[in-house]
Each structure stands twice: as structure tokens, then as C-alpha cells.
Amino acid sequence: VARTVAVAELIEQARAGKPRAVARLISLVEDARPELREVAAALAPLTGRATVIGLTGSPGVGKSTTTSGLVSAFRAQGKRVGVLAVDPSSPFSGGALLGDRVRMQDHATDSGVFIRSMATRGHLGGLSWATPQALRVLDAAGFDVVLIETVGVGQSEIDVVSLADSTLVLLAPGMGDGIQAAKAGILEVADVFCVNKADRDGADQVVRDLKHMISLGRRGSGPAWRVPVVPTVASRGEGLIDVVDALGEHRAWMSEHGELERRRAHRAVTEIEAIAVTAVRARLGDLHGTDSLAQLGKRVATGELDPYTAADTLIHNLT
Ligand SMILES: Nc1nc2c(ncn2[C@@H]2O[C@H](COP(=O)(O)OP(=O)(O)O)[C@@H](O)[C@H]2O)c(=O)[nH]1
Ligand SMILES: [Mg+2]
């Protein structure tokens, strides 16, 4: 009973803007503490308000600098902003250049900003498995905008897409990004492109290449969102208002076309699936005796049993 009170109180304090309560709630879910389910149930009716923006791109392209600039831009609009950084090299997780850290410290003293690095990389690809739950905490705590920064390697940009309402993909000149973008299927995941480091040679060419690829990539007969390409110099704060505008337009477009609901339902499906698969895997490990995974494995290895029958036996024994 005492625990119930504590959770309710924590949530109340988090909603009142107390950063320590927000941090404690995220720790609760991140550490998968026994209170996790109670927290999840209490948060559910409070969620669905926050605008979730994912940022992805190669290391060094300027994600953290852009994130910091976007925080300032949204704060100027009076919005409360949460940041989840899922990047081992991120300033928020300590691998920072001094300048970046100093920049983020401006926000650290602002109670309208909450920054958290999701330290652990989970088994579900690039994003920590706790990231969706941390997102729920920030949403329920009343943050108007949540920015999720993740380094664009392998699976993580896909993961961030499944979490975000809008995904911002950053490229920069001189990084071979244009070609990589096409290869990595990054074209499909971007709702808005930033060509950062537009103060450098070759930025115009990257913008042209991207626009060309976008025009080629158009498919389907339904109403299509025309992905904007925004040049930025994040280190000087240039172009970030244009990014905010582009994100606003994307959101309006999604609302108009039912895309926001579709994405959020998809997000929930991914989340439920991950939780269910984790639970199933844990229960598989709990099976003992002749029908344990280990014993079935031995029988399949010797040819006594086929793997499909073995899998059916496992699933049957779970229920
Ligand atoms: N010239 C230039 N440098 C930038 C720009 N934006 C960021 N940087 C620098 O690029 C480096 C990497 O930036 P960071 O935001 O940490 O990249 P991340 O790894 O994608 O998060 C830092 O030294 C930044 O100061 C820009 O628009 N122009
Ligand atoms: Mg970074």
C-alpha cells in the first residue's frame, strides 16, 4: 500500500514539473523494478499529448548540436521539452566535447527541460528497450515535445521511426551521406531532412541530390508527404526555426490524413510485441524437464524430433 502511494505521489510531482520525480520514474522503468507495471498502468491515461520527434544520422553529423538548438527553439515557444539521448557518444551520456556539454548546461538549469541519456543498449536493436517507457513518463509528466536522439547505425534509425511521430534525418556534406542515405533506406524513414554544416562546401550539392532522390522515390497513389530538405548550421543556430516549421507542417499533414493515429497505433503494436516476446522468452527459460528448451534441443540435434514439432511443444507448454 505504501508503494502505491509513492508511485501516485511521484507521478503527481512529475506532472508538477519536479525533475527529480521524473528522473525517479524513468529509473523505475529502466531498471524494470517491481513497480514497473503499476507505473505503466498509472501513466497510460495521462499519455498521448506529447509530440515525439526522432533525430537520427551518422556520428558527428550534428545531432546533439541540433537537439540543443531545437530545445531552445521550442522553449522560445513556451513549450516544455524532454530529451532522450540513445547514443553512447552523445554529450548527454558523457562522451562530450566540452563545448557541447557547456551548451547543454544552459538547459540543465531550465526546469522546462529534462534531459536523460538511455545508457543501456537493449536486446531489441539499437534503442534501449526502456526508451518507449521513458517516453511514456515524459509524455505523462506533461512535456509538450520529446526529442529522441539516436545514432544512425544499423537498426536504430528504424527503431526511432517506430517511436517517433516525426523523424528528422541529418546529413552533412563531405560524409558520403547522400549515397549512404539511398543505400540505408534512410530516404524512407525521413519525414524531414536536415543538411547540417551548410557552412561547408558541398552542402548545396547534398540538398540537390536529396531533392532529386526524393522526387524519384515518390510512390503510391495516396496523398504523399513531400519530404522537405532544410539546410542548417546547427552550431550557429541557423535554420533551426525552419526545421521547427517543417516539423509543424508534417504534424499538421499527419493529423489531416490520419497518419498520426496510424503511427501511434503502430508504435503501440511494436511496444506490446516487444513486451510479449520478452515475457515469452523468460517463460521458455523457466520450463524444466523433458519439455525444456535444452532437452528438446538435444532431441532435435539427434534427429529424433523436427524443430517445428519441438517449437509447437514449447508453445503448447507455455499456456
Ligand atoms: N561547421 C559546422 N560544425 C558543426 C555544425 N553542427 C555541429 N557541428 C560540430 O560538429 C561536431 C559534432 O556535432 P554533434 O552535435 O556532437 O554530432 P552528433 O554526433 O551527431 O551528435 C561538433 O564539433 C559540433 O560543434 C555545423 O552546422 N557546422
Ligand atoms: Mg550526439
Side-chain angles (χ1 to χ4, degrees), residues 31-73:
D31 301 342
R33 295 271 291 280
E35 296 91 336
L36 172 61
R37 279 163 189 277
E38 188 188 340
V39 171
L43 293 179
L46 306 172
T47 56
R49 275 196 56 251
T51 293
V52 186
I53 298 163
L55 290 92
T56 190
S58 305
V61 74
K63 295 179 298 298
S64 297
T65 312
T66 301
T67 299
S68 180
L70 289 177
V71 168
S72 303

Short mmCIF file of all heavy atoms in Angstrom, two decimals, residues 31-73:
data_model
loop_
_atom_site.label_atom_id
_atom_site.label_comp_id
_atom_site.label_asym_id
_atom_site.label_seq_id
_atom_site.Cartn_x
_atom_site.Cartn_y
_atom_site.Cartn_z
N ASP A 31 15.08 0.24 -14.79
CA ASP A 31 15.62 -0.88 -14.03
C ASP A 31 14.62 -2.03 -13.92
O ASP A 31 14.88 -3.01 -13.22
CB ASP A 31 16.00 -0.42 -12.61
CG ASP A 31 17.05 0.69 -12.64
OD1 ASP A 31 17.69 0.85 -13.70
OD2 ASP A 31 17.19 1.40 -11.62
N ALA A 32 13.47 -1.88 -14.61
CA ALA A 32 12.43 -2.91 -14.57
C ALA A 32 12.11 -3.32 -13.14
O ALA A 32 12.03 -4.50 -12.80
CB ALA A 32 12.83 -4.12 -15.41
N ARG A 33 11.92 -2.32 -12.30
CA ARG A 33 11.62 -2.57 -10.89
C ARG A 33 10.21 -3.16 -10.74
O ARG A 33 9.41 -3.06 -11.68
CB ARG A 33 11.73 -1.26 -10.11
CG ARG A 33 13.15 -0.70 -10.08
CD ARG A 33 13.92 -1.23 -8.90
NE ARG A 33 13.37 -0.68 -7.68
CZ ARG A 33 13.65 0.56 -7.23
NH1 ARG A 33 14.48 1.33 -7.89
NH2 ARG A 33 13.12 0.98 -6.12
N PRO A 34 9.92 -3.77 -9.57
CA PRO A 34 8.60 -4.38 -9.39
C PRO A 34 7.45 -3.39 -9.60
O PRO A 34 6.36 -3.78 -10.01
CB PRO A 34 8.63 -4.84 -7.93
CG PRO A 34 10.07 -4.96 -7.57
CD PRO A 34 10.80 -3.97 -8.42
N GLU A 35 7.72 -2.11 -9.37
CA GLU A 35 6.68 -1.09 -9.53
C GLU A 35 6.36 -0.79 -10.98
O GLU A 35 5.42 -0.04 -11.28
CB GLU A 35 7.09 0.22 -8.85
CG GLU A 35 7.27 0.14 -7.34
CD GLU A 35 8.70 -0.21 -6.95
OE1 GLU A 35 9.42 -0.81 -7.77
OE2 GLU A 35 9.09 0.12 -5.82
N LEU A 36 7.15 -1.35 -11.90
CA LEU A 36 7.02 -1.01 -13.32
C LEU A 36 5.59 -1.09 -13.83
O LEU A 36 5.09 -0.17 -14.48
CB LEU A 36 7.94 -1.94 -14.14
CG LEU A 36 7.82 -1.89 -15.66
CD1 LEU A 36 8.14 -0.52 -16.21
CD2 LEU A 36 8.77 -2.92 -16.29
N ARG A 37 4.91 -2.20 -13.52
CA ARG A 37 3.55 -2.38 -14.04
C ARG A 37 2.57 -1.37 -13.46
O ARG A 37 1.72 -0.85 -14.17
CB ARG A 37 3.06 -3.80 -13.73
CG ARG A 37 3.59 -4.78 -14.72
CD ARG A 37 3.49 -6.21 -14.26
NE ARG A 37 4.21 -7.05 -15.20
CZ ARG A 37 3.70 -7.51 -16.33
NH1 ARG A 37 2.44 -7.24 -16.65
NH2 ARG A 37 4.42 -8.22 -17.16
N GLU A 38 2.76 -1.11 -12.18
CA GLU A 38 1.91 -0.12 -11.52
C GLU A 38 2.13 1.26 -12.14
O GLU A 38 1.18 2.00 -12.40
CB GLU A 38 2.28 -0.11 -10.03
CG GLU A 38 1.37 0.71 -9.18
CD GLU A 38 1.92 0.83 -7.76
OE1 GLU A 38 2.76 -0.01 -7.36
OE2 GLU A 38 1.52 1.78 -7.08
N VAL A 39 3.38 1.59 -12.38
CA VAL A 39 3.71 2.87 -13.00
C VAL A 39 3.09 2.94 -14.40
O VAL A 39 2.44 3.93 -14.76
CB VAL A 39 5.25 3.07 -13.09
CG1 VAL A 39 5.61 4.29 -13.92
CG2 VAL A 39 5.85 3.20 -11.70
N ALA A 40 3.27 1.86 -15.17
CA ALA A 40 2.75 1.84 -16.54
C ALA A 40 1.25 2.05 -16.55
O ALA A 40 0.71 2.82 -17.37
CB ALA A 40 3.12 0.52 -17.21
N ALA A 41 0.55 1.38 -15.62
CA ALA A 41 -0.91 1.49 -15.57
C ALA A 41 -1.34 2.91 -15.19
O ALA A 41 -2.30 3.45 -15.75
CB ALA A 41 -1.47 0.48 -14.57
N ALA A 42 -0.60 3.51 -14.27
CA ALA A 42 -0.94 4.86 -13.82
C ALA A 42 -0.64 5.91 -14.89
O ALA A 42 -1.34 6.92 -15.00
CB ALA A 42 -0.18 5.19 -12.53
N LEU A 43 0.39 5.65 -15.70
CA LEU A 43 0.78 6.62 -16.73
C LEU A 43 -0.17 6.60 -17.92
O LEU A 43 -0.42 7.64 -18.54
CB LEU A 43 2.20 6.33 -17.23
CG LEU A 43 3.38 6.53 -16.26
CD1 LEU A 43 4.68 6.17 -16.97
CD2 LEU A 43 3.44 7.98 -15.76
N ALA A 44 -0.68 5.40 -18.25
CA ALA A 44 -1.41 5.20 -19.51
C ALA A 44 -2.45 6.29 -19.81
O ALA A 44 -2.43 6.88 -20.89
CB ALA A 44 -2.03 3.81 -19.56
N PRO A 45 -3.36 6.58 -18.85
CA PRO A 45 -4.39 7.57 -19.19
C PRO A 45 -3.85 9.00 -19.33
O PRO A 45 -4.57 9.88 -19.80
CB PRO A 45 -5.38 7.48 -18.01
CG PRO A 45 -4.66 6.78 -16.93
CD PRO A 45 -3.54 6.01 -17.51
N LEU A 46 -2.59 9.20 -18.94
CA LEU A 46 -2.02 10.55 -18.99
C LEU A 46 -1.21 10.80 -20.25
O LEU A 46 -0.65 11.87 -20.45
CB LEU A 46 -1.12 10.77 -17.76
CG LEU A 46 -1.74 10.50 -16.39
CD1 LEU A 46 -0.69 10.57 -15.30
CD2 LEU A 46 -2.87 11.50 -16.12
N THR A 47 -1.12 9.76 -21.09
CA THR A 47 -0.22 9.85 -22.24
C THR A 47 -0.97 10.19 -23.54
O THR A 47 -2.19 10.17 -23.59
CB THR A 47 0.56 8.55 -22.45
OG1 THR A 47 -0.38 7.48 -22.58
CG2 THR A 47 1.50 8.28 -21.32
N GLY A 48 -0.19 10.52 -24.57
CA GLY A 48 -0.77 10.78 -25.88
C GLY A 48 -0.75 12.25 -26.27
O GLY A 48 -1.18 12.62 -27.36
N ARG A 49 -0.25 13.10 -25.39
CA ARG A 49 -0.24 14.54 -25.67
C ARG A 49 1.06 15.01 -26.33
O ARG A 49 1.06 15.92 -27.14
CB ARG A 49 -0.45 15.33 -24.37
CG ARG A 49 -1.91 15.52 -23.98
CD ARG A 49 -2.03 16.62 -22.94
NE ARG A 49 -1.43 17.88 -23.40
CZ ARG A 49 -0.30 18.40 -22.91
NH1 ARG A 49 0.34 17.82 -21.94
NH2 ARG A 49 0.16 19.54 -23.40
N ALA A 50 2.16 14.39 -25.94
CA ALA A 50 3.47 14.90 -26.37
C ALA A 50 3.70 14.68 -27.87
O ALA A 50 3.27 13.68 -28.43
CB ALA A 50 4.58 14.23 -25.58
N THR A 51 4.35 15.64 -28.47
CA THR A 51 4.85 15.48 -29.84
C THR A 51 6.22 14.84 -29.75
O THR A 51 7.11 15.36 -29.08
CB THR A 51 4.97 16.86 -30.51
OG1 THR A 51 3.65 17.40 -30.67
CG2 THR A 51 5.64 16.75 -31.88
N VAL A 52 6.38 13.70 -30.42
CA VAL A 52 7.62 12.94 -30.31
C VAL A 52 8.41 13.07 -31.61
O VAL A 52 7.92 12.72 -32.69
CB VAL A 52 7.35 11.45 -30.01
CG1 VAL A 52 8.66 10.71 -29.76
CG2 VAL A 52 6.42 11.31 -28.82
N ILE A 53 9.61 13.59 -31.48
CA ILE A 53 10.46 13.82 -32.66
C ILE A 53 11.74 13.01 -32.53
O ILE A 53 12.46 13.13 -31.54
CB ILE A 53 10.78 15.32 -32.80
CG1 ILE A 53 9.48 16.12 -33.00
CG2 ILE A 53 11.77 15.56 -33.96
CD1 ILE A 53 9.63 17.59 -32.76
N GLY A 54 12.00 12.18 -33.53
CA GLY A 54 13.23 11.39 -33.55
C GLY A 54 14.29 12.07 -34.40
O GLY A 54 13.97 12.62 -35.45
N LEU A 55 15.52 12.07 -33.93
CA LEU A 55 16.65 12.59 -34.72
C LEU A 55 17.64 11.47 -34.94
O LEU A 55 18.07 10.83 -33.99
CB LEU A 55 17.38 13.72 -34.00
CG LEU A 55 16.68 15.06 -33.83
CD1 LEU A 55 15.95 15.08 -32.51
CD2 LEU A 55 17.70 16.18 -33.87
N THR A 56 18.01 11.26 -36.19
CA THR A 56 19.00 10.23 -36.45
C THR A 56 19.97 10.69 -37.54
O THR A 56 19.66 11.61 -38.30
CB THR A 56 18.32 8.89 -36.79
OG1 THR A 56 19.30 7.86 -36.80
CG2 THR A 56 17.61 8.93 -38.13
N GLY A 57 21.10 10.05 -37.60
CA GLY A 57 22.14 10.41 -38.56
C GLY A 57 23.48 9.88 -38.08
O GLY A 57 23.61 9.47 -36.92
N SER A 58 24.47 9.93 -38.95
CA SER A 58 25.79 9.38 -38.62
C SER A 58 26.43 10.13 -37.45
O SER A 58 26.11 11.30 -37.21
CB SER A 58 26.72 9.51 -39.83
OG SER A 58 26.13 8.91 -40.96
N PRO A 59 27.34 9.47 -36.75
CA PRO A 59 28.07 10.15 -35.68
C PRO A 59 28.79 11.38 -36.22
O PRO A 59 29.39 11.33 -37.29
CB PRO A 59 29.10 9.10 -35.22
CG PRO A 59 28.54 7.78 -35.66
CD PRO A 59 27.75 8.06 -36.90
N GLY A 60 28.68 12.49 -35.51
CA GLY A 60 29.39 13.71 -35.89
C GLY A 60 28.65 14.61 -36.85
O GLY A 60 29.13 15.70 -37.18
N VAL A 61 27.47 14.19 -37.28
CA VAL A 61 26.73 14.97 -38.27
C VAL A 61 26.11 16.23 -37.64
O VAL A 61 25.79 17.19 -38.33
CB VAL A 61 25.66 14.08 -38.96
CG1 VAL A 61 24.48 13.80 -38.04
CG2 VAL A 61 25.19 14.70 -40.26
N GLY A 62 25.95 16.20 -36.32
CA GLY A 62 25.42 17.37 -35.62
C GLY A 62 24.09 17.13 -34.92
O GLY A 62 23.35 18.08 -34.65
N LYS A 63 23.80 15.89 -34.57
CA LYS A 63 22.53 15.58 -33.91
C LYS A 63 22.40 16.27 -32.55
O LYS A 63 21.38 16.87 -32.26
CB LYS A 63 22.37 14.06 -33.72
CG LYS A 63 22.27 13.28 -35.00
CD LYS A 63 22.14 11.79 -34.73
CE LYS A 63 23.34 11.21 -34.02
NZ LYS A 63 24.61 11.31 -34.76
N SER A 64 23.45 16.17 -31.74
CA SER A 64 23.35 16.75 -30.39
C SER A 64 23.27 18.28 -30.46
O SER A 64 22.52 18.90 -29.70
CB SER A 64 24.54 16.32 -29.53
OG SER A 64 24.53 14.92 -29.36
N THR A 65 24.03 18.85 -31.37
CA THR A 65 24.00 20.31 -31.55
C THR A 65 22.60 20.74 -32.01
O THR A 65 22.05 21.72 -31.51
CB THR A 65 25.06 20.74 -32.59
OG1 THR A 65 26.31 20.11 -32.29
CG2 THR A 65 25.25 22.24 -32.57
N THR A 66 22.04 19.99 -32.94
CA THR A 66 20.70 20.29 -33.44
C THR A 66 19.66 20.10 -32.34
O THR A 66 18.77 20.93 -32.17
CB THR A 66 20.37 19.38 -34.65
OG1 THR A 66 21.34 19.62 -35.67
CG2 THR A 66 18.98 19.67 -35.19
N THR A 67 19.81 19.02 -31.58
CA THR A 67 18.89 18.77 -30.47
C THR A 67 18.88 19.95 -29.52
O THR A 67 17.82 20.47 -29.15
CB THR A 67 19.29 17.48 -29.71
OG1 THR A 67 19.22 16.37 -30.62
CG2 THR A 67 18.36 17.21 -28.54
N SER A 68 20.08 20.39 -29.15
CA SER A 68 20.21 21.51 -28.23
C SER A 68 19.55 22.77 -28.82
O SER A 68 18.83 23.49 -28.12
CB SER A 68 21.69 21.76 -27.94
OG SER A 68 21.83 22.84 -27.05
N GLY A 69 19.78 23.00 -30.11
CA GLY A 69 19.17 24.16 -30.76
C GLY A 69 17.66 24.07 -30.83
O GLY A 69 16.95 25.07 -30.66
N LEU A 70 17.16 22.86 -31.07
CA LEU A 70 15.71 22.67 -31.13
C LEU A 70 15.08 22.87 -29.75
O LEU A 70 13.98 23.41 -29.63
CB LEU A 70 15.36 21.28 -31.68
CG LEU A 70 15.63 21.06 -33.17
CD1 LEU A 70 15.31 19.62 -33.58
CD2 LEU A 70 14.81 22.04 -34.03
N VAL A 71 15.81 22.43 -28.72
CA VAL A 71 15.32 22.66 -27.36
C VAL A 71 15.10 24.16 -27.15
O VAL A 71 14.04 24.59 -26.69
CB VAL A 71 16.30 22.10 -26.30
CG1 VAL A 71 15.94 22.59 -24.90
CG2 VAL A 71 16.32 20.57 -26.32
N SER A 72 16.09 24.96 -27.53
CA SER A 72 15.98 26.42 -27.38
C SER A 72 14.79 26.96 -28.18
O SER A 72 14.03 27.81 -27.69
CB SER A 72 17.25 27.11 -27.85
OG SER A 72 18.36 26.63 -27.14
N ALA A 73 14.64 26.45 -29.41
CA ALA A 73 13.56 26.95 -30.28
C ALA A 73 12.19 26.61 -29.69
O ALA A 73 11.29 27.47 -29.67
CB ALA A 73 13.70 26.34 -31.68
#
